[in-house]
Amino acid sequence: MGFTLDPNTIRELAAAIAAEVVQAMRAERIPTEVNDDREVFHVGPLIVDLARREAAVHGRVLELKPRELDLLAALARNAGRVLKRAQLLELAWDDVTLERIESERTVDVHVRRLRVQLGENAAMLQTVARAGYRLDPP
């Protein structure tokens, strides 16, 4: 109980749809602007730009893996506040990955990697005994 369309009919239909889309865009019924609202966090010399998916210290772009960037962004969003490991896991890890994590200590490993990337600015990332981590400007 199917039907078939000849190739010319398909081409005509595709062209008509494309023309309607262009017309709608010109009439501004379909927004064509890119949303330029960026999530940029500044903590001392550190800049975390989520729209660009990068972080830089003193203008030097850090070589971060996606999870490290997400962790750094969570800390930068909450600069000056102590975040527990469990909070950082919730903020920087997706649900699927969280199900596979066996220990909150995975945060420690990622913090250690962040400190290496921060180099001489590693002291910005403070360990707060029996509480968690805090990102402070130097």
Side-chain angles (χ1 to χ4, degrees):
M1 184 89 194
F3 64 91
T4 58
L5 294 174
D6 71 68
N8 289 330
T9 304
I10 293 172
R11 277 191 282 278
E12 289 172 14
L13 182 59
I17 291 170
E20 286 293 319
V21 169
V22 169
Q23 184 179 1
M25 289 172 68
R26 285 187 182 142
E28 296 184 340
R29 291 186 300 205
I30 298 175
T32 57
E33 287 182 21
V34 174
N35 184 354
D36 201 32
D37 292 337
R38 290 189 173 178
E39 287 193 72
V40 179
F41 305 97
H42 298 264
V43 182
L46 173 69
I47 299 172
V48 179
D49 187 337
L50 292 178
R52 294 177 56 95
R53 295 294 297 162
E54 69 180 21
V57 176
H58 295 292
R60 177 181 58 89
V61 176
L62 305 178
E63 299 292 327
L64 300 176
K65 294 179 180 175
R67 184 77 61 228
E68 294 164 355
L69 179 64
D70 293 340
L71 178 59
L72 188 58
L75 288 159
R77 257 191 203 102
N78 295 283
R81 293 179 50 202
V82 175
L83 296 176
K84 297 178 181 181
R85 287 180 186 93
Q87 289 174 298
L88 289 167
L89 284 169
E90 288 292 323
L91 293 170
W93 274 258
D94 59 84
D95 292 337
V96 173
T97 307
L98 274 176
E99 290 175 11
R100 295 187 314 226
I101 292 176
E102 295 179 16
S103 169
E104 290 180 350
R105 293 293 183 171
T106 192
V107 173
D108 301 346
V109 172
H110 286 81
V111 165
R112 187 173 26 241
R113 291 179 187 159
L114 283 176
R115 285 184 174 136
V116 168
Q117 287 293 319
L118 290 169
E120 64 186 33
N121 295 286
M124 293 177 61
L125 188 43
Q126 297 287 313
T127 301
V128 181
R130 292 178 294 285
Y133 295 99
R134 181 181 66 230
L135 185 65
D136 287 324

